[in-house]
Amino acid sequence: MNKTKVLLVDDDPVILTAVAEFLHLEGYSVVQVANLQSAYVALEKDTPDLAVIDFDLPDGNALEFLAYLKNINLPLKVIVLTGHGSIDLAVRAIKEGAEQFLTKPVQFSVLIAAVRTCVQSQQNQRKLLARKMSRPRYEKDPFQGTSALIQRLAQEAHKIVQTERPILLLGETGTGKGVMARWLHKNGPRSEETLVDVNCAGLSRELLESELFGYEKGAFTSAAGSKQGLVEAAHKGILFLDELGEMDLMVQPKLLKVLEDQRFRRLGDVRERTVDIQIIAASNRNLMQSVKEMKFREDLYFRISTFHLLIPPLRERAEDIPVIANSLLKNLANDLARDQQELSGDAEALLKSYSWPGNIRELRNVLERVALTCDTRVIEAPDLGLAQRPSSPMTNTDPEPGLTLAELERQYIARILHEESGRVAQAAVRLGIPRSTLYQKLKVYGIPTETTQQAV
């Protein structure tokens, strides 16, 4: 993560240089300016973590600077320095939002102590907000089960969990993409910072744009004041964009700018702001197909899918269903303040044979209904109410009888490659395997690669 950034404002070049060099030696990144207007310009270019400002400046004073921060709704910690300190002046500065008020000449030991206190205070506020926003009722494990698919997912997730680059989570509705996002946050380098969750499918274009990027007073009819967007709220932390494939095409270029430059502009504002965030996105759509249909930007797709994880559907790891079901029943028992119910052998067999189009979310809904309506400790197969449900809604054609597992895999890989017009990279994403692995399988199964390699 980036160094803590300090905006230093003082019209005395000797003090400016000395304090800047001292802060540099202490490990801080410093931007030096000599007046208020230069400070405002610096804020337009970047958002520091802290400002250290002299009270009296050629074009104003620190009280005006504090009022400006309040007007643009920028929660910035400020240390005010003055050569003419008084109790009244200190009270005014603190009342207007200053964190510390120090009298010149200030000792470096006192200044660095104040800087560290302000930075720690800001970090503590973000950590408190992060815990408040991301603490689930139950600790959810995205890797429950012993199937080969879930073990491979766990291996892939552990390989990329320390990255601060964008991560794309792919999978059907209800497979646990949100659970995976929270696991990545908890175990990643930004675990002590905020995780801001946004559902792109639940908001109109106008509302999504204003919620993400915020707005200035007067930006539209009902904008009675300025509002910070969720991109700003996620500063230093993670922005989780659920159902990214539903994002309007008009909003996508602005998200791309955040990904590429870590910069954005509030609605109705002329200046750009800088943020330090990681983006995790999720989609149940085939985004590459959306690109072909011109419903999703190609440049955004490739920018956000550098690291990706494919969450397998429940029907492809049926052996994991009893483990997941018993975990859900345990949580439901805690919620209902009753003894945990158990599944009979027939009930487990029925759960494993059902296709689960709604995946884990549907499984939880079924078990919740059973927990509320079934008075016996042991849940039998008829209690589940699955008998009249479709057994395989996701398959278009049944496999040919007598095929081996290898032959089925060959057919499936060939079909996916055909659907992706020979693009090996996109086929690998859909299959949830590295591109090198796919090339190896193409060679083993004798699937032609001459044209597919050109299409990558």
Side-chain angles (χ1 to χ4, degrees):
M1 297 179 67
N2 296 330
K3 289 183 178 181
T4 299
K5 299 175 183 177
V6 179
L7 173 63
L8 182 60
V9 191
D10 200 309
D11 60 331
D12 187 325
V14 175
I15 294 178
L16 190 67
T17 301
V19 174
E21 289 181 354
F22 172 71
L23 291 176
H24 275 303
L25 291 173
E26 291 293 326
Y28 296 94
S29 174
V30 183
V31 175
Q32 309 172 48
V33 296
N35 52 58
L36 282 182
Q37 289 305 314
S38 297
Y40 299 154
V41 171
L43 289 176
E44 291 178 2
K45 294 179 179 179
D46 201 356
T47 302
D49 299 286
L50 171 72
V52 179
I53 181 171
D54 187 24
F55 186 86
D56 289 310
L57 295 164
D59 54 350
N61 59 47
L63 296 180
E64 295 175 44
F65 180 74
L66 291 166
Y68 174 78
L69 295 179
K70 189 178 297 183
N71 184 55
I72 65 173
N73 193 24
L74 182 62
L76 181 65
K77 300 291 184 183
V78 178
I79 297 175
V80 176
L81 307 179
T82 180
H84 309 283
S86 69
I87 295 177
D88 289 341
L89 196 60
V91 169
R92 287 177 63 192
I94 299 298
K95 186 177 180 180
E96 290 301 316
E99 191 78 10
Q100 298 269 5
F101 187 89
L102 304 178
T103 303
K104 291 181 177 179
V106 61
Q107 296 180 357
F108 281 161
S109 59
V110 174
L111 177 60
I112 196 61
V115 168
R116 289 170 178 166
T117 299
C118 287
V119 171
Q120 188 62 52
S121 174
Q122 187 178 56
Q123 291 175 347
N124 289 340
Q125 288 178 6
R126 289 201 301 264
K127 290 176 183 178
L128 183 63
L129 180 61
R131 287 192 290 268
K132 182 179 179 181
M133 295 183 68
S134 62
R135 183 187 296 124
R137 180 180 296 179
Y138 303 110
E139 197 66 45
K140 296 180 180 179
D141 181 5
F143 312 118
Q144 286 184 317
T146 58
S147 66
L149 284 176
I150 207 65
Q151 290 181 25
R152 185 174 67 190
L153 175 64
Q155 292 171 357
E156 293 174 352
H158 280 87
K159 288 178 181 178
I160 68 172
V161 69
Q162 290 301 316
T163 184
E164 297 191 63
R165 309 302 296 170
I167 298 176
L168 177 62
L169 307 178
L170 300 170
E172 297 175 7
T173 298
T175 50
K177 298 185 291 294
V179 174
M180 178 61 75
R182 287 185 284 277
W183 182 88
L184 290 169
H185 170 242
K186 179 184 176 181
N187 294 277
R190 296 176 184 247
S191 60
E192 296 295 333
E193 306 294 347
T194 306
L195 172 70
V196 177
D197 190 339
V198 187
N199 189 329
C200 301
L203 302 171
S204 64
R205 179 183 70 82
E206 294 79 7
L207 188 55
L208 177 61
E209 190 171 7
S210 63
E211 285 295 306
L212 280 177
F213 305 108
Y215 53 80
E216 291 298 300
K217 181 179 180 180
F220 44 86
T221 305
S222 59
S226 299
K227 180 183 176 181
Q228 183 185 64
L230 296 176
V231 168
E232 281 182 89
H235 182 57
K236 296 291 185 180
I238 293 176
L239 180 66
F240 174 45
L241 299 174
D242 200 5
E243 303 299 349
L244 179 68
E246 306 297 327
M247 179 176 284
D248 191 275
L249 276 168
M250 299 295 289
V251 182
Q252 292 178 26
K254 295 188 175 183
L255 175 61
L256 182 62
K257 186 171 184 62
V258 175
L259 281 165
E260 292 184 336
D261 304 329
Q262 298 273 287
R263 303 181 73 85
F264 72 99
R265 184 180 289 123
R266 286 183 182 177
L267 295 180
D269 200 355
V270 296
R271 73 185 186 94
E272 289 189 333
R273 299 168 187 261
T274 301
V275 288
D276 173 16
I277 62 173
Q278 179 186 12
I279 291 181
I280 297 177
S283 178
N284 60 8
R285 282 190 176 191
N286 181 340
L287 291 183
M288 200 60 216
Q289 183 62 35
S290 296
V291 170
K292 295 175 184 177
E293 296 171 357
M294 301 186 72
K295 295 179 180 178
F296 199 83
R297 291 178 61 104
E298 185 176 32
D299 49 2
L300 177 57
Y301 170 75
F302 286 115
R303 187 66 182 81
I304 207 164
S305 62
T306 304
F307 296 100
H308 60 267
L309 295 172
L310 180 63
I311 317 297
L314 204 52
R315 65 182 178 277
E316 293 184 3
R317 54 185 189 110
E319 61 266 47
D320 296 336
I321 291 177
V323 175
I324 299 171
N326 283 309
S327 176
L328 291 171
L329 286 172
K330 179 180 179 181
N331 293 341
L332 288 167
N334 290 332
D335 287 343
L336 299 173
R338 57 189 294 180
D339 292 336
Q340 182 178 342
Q341 293 169 295
E342 298 178 4
L343 295 164
S344 70
D346 288 343
E348 283 193 359
L350 180 57
L351 291 179
K352 291 169 68 174
S353 66
Y354 179 58
S355 63
W356 298 110
N359 292 290
I360 298 176
R361 184 178 296 132
E362 183 184 6
L363 174 61
R364 189 191 192 285
N365 290 340
V366 168
L367 294 176
E368 185 173 16
R369 176 183 55 77
V370 174
L372 289 170
T373 59
C374 182
D375 295 327
T376 60
R377 187 180 65 83
V378 178
I379 299 172
E380 300 292 346
D383 298 327
L384 298 172
L386 296 176
Q388 301 302 318
R389 302 193 179 199
S391 61
S392 185
M394 301 300 294
T395 54
N396 297 322
T397 59
D398 292 329
E400 298 177 23
L403 292 180
T404 65
L405 182 59
E407 289 168 335
L408 285 172
E409 183 179 53
R410 184 190 188 284
Q411 286 188 4
Y412 185 65
I413 290 175
R415 179 166 66 82
I416 294 299
L417 195 61
H418 175 73
E419 290 176 1
E420 293 297 337
S421 302
R423 293 183 177 90
V424 176
Q426 281 66 56
V429 170
R430 288 187 58 185
L431 292 166
I433 59 177
R435 184 163 51 180
S436 58
T437 301
L438 179 54
Y439 274 122
Q440 184 179 9
K441 289 181 179 292
L442 294 175
K443 182 178 180 180
V444 169
Y445 291 135
I447 300 174
T449 59
E450 290 80 4
T451 56
T452 59
Q453 291 181 2
Q454 296 174 6
V456 175

